[in-house]
Amino acid sequence: MTLFGDRIFTIRLQLRRIEIQDVGLLAGWSHDEATYGPYLTPERHNAEQLRRQVQGGALWMDRNKTFLVELREGLPIGTMHYWVRPEAPATAVIAVRIACAGERNKGYGTEAQKYLVLFLFNRLNIQQVEMYTDINNAAQQRCLSKLGFELIQAQPYSDQQVQRVGYLYRLSRSRFANEPVYQHHYA
């Protein structure tokens, strides 16, 4: 993993800070059913609201960051977000969305999650990382298993006022330290 200011470089990707010129793309994605796939509900943000969030720094704070996921060549393919739980400041939660359906099932989501996990444990001194996934999202569940996450529990949740059932997965610092997938990485 290579970190340069507001970017994390992986083997094939860069995770970078969202900028004003990205607002139109993000607003478009937020209204597109295909962007979200079958396991998420479109957020339907308007461009002006997103512009205010970017300008005000709401998407890029010390303990809460939203990245644009791009191929190294600069093609945007999705977003990745982490936040540190206010009630548990040693726990970070991450969420990933590969928005371009044609770029799914190529390992980009796994790669982005791996390098964000490395960043959280190595740079922020987080003690555990959590992820939630829809109970039917077998691809994300396989990804989390590859990355050493353990299934903690099933629970109902509300996604944009749509009731769903999902799984909570967790990766502890001790498990992270012993997972081979995090021992060898190049960027």
Side-chain angles (χ1 to χ4, degrees):
M1 168 183 66
T2 306
L3 176 67
F4 291 108
D6 56 4
R7 295 174 192 264
I8 297 173
F9 290 94
T10 75
I11 294 166
R12 302 177 296 165
L13 305 170
Q14 66 174 322
L15 311 178
R16 70 164 175 84
R17 184 178 188 161
I18 292 171
E19 300 174 358
I20 288 294
Q21 64 265 22
D22 303 318
V23 166
L25 173 68
L26 295 175
W29 279 352
S30 82
H31 291 270
D32 182 4
E33 300 276 338
T35 294
Y36 286 80
Y39 308 114
L40 295 170
T41 305
E43 296 167 313
R44 305 201 190 289
H45 295 299
N46 76 42
E48 187 52 39
Q49 174 189 37
L50 285 168
R51 186 177 326 286
R52 282 193 303 271
Q53 287 180 323
V54 171
Q55 288 174 331
L59 302 180
W60 197 262
M61 299 185 291
D62 286 341
R63 309 212 20 107
N64 177 349
K65 290 185 180 0
T66 302
F67 295 88
L68 189 68
V69 178
E70 293 181 329
L71 299 179
R72 279 277 187 126
E73 302 77 38
L75 175 69
I77 63 168
T79 59
M80 181 153 238
H81 177 210
Y82 81 81
W83 63 97
V84 176
R85 288 188 179 281
E87 76 282 5
T91 300
V93 181
I94 61 178
V96 63
R97 179 182 69 218
I98 301 301
C100 299
E103 301 301 333
R104 294 182 188 137
N105 301 311
K106 294 181 178 181
Y108 295 135
T110 301
E111 186 173 325
Q113 289 169 94
K114 173 185 173 179
Y115 284 86
L116 186 58
V117 165
L118 282 161
F119 170 81
L120 291 168
F121 281 118
N122 293 333
R123 303 288 178 136
L124 293 189
N125 200 27
I126 293 295
Q127 297 303 306
Q128 62 185 13
V129 176
E130 296 180 338
M131 284 203 72
Y132 294 88
T133 185
D134 188 275
I135 200 166
N136 296 313
N137 191 343
Q140 177 64 359
Q141 292 161 25
R142 282 190 305 275
C143 168
L144 292 172
S145 179
K146 278 191 251 182
L147 294 175
F149 282 75
E150 297 177 285
L151 175 61
I152 301 301
Q153 67 185 23
Q155 60 189 49
Y157 66 99
S158 179
D159 172 29
Q160 305 298 318
Q161 301 179 344
V162 174
Q163 296 305 306
R164 299 182 185 267
V165 176
Y167 289 131
L168 168 62
Y169 282 81
R170 184 175 295 140
L171 178 63
S172 67
R173 176 171 282 285
S174 61
R175 189 166 170 103
F176 162 79
N178 293 311
E179 279 295 321
V181 71
Y182 300 108
Q183 306 312 311
H184 305 286
H185 47 274
Y186 308 94

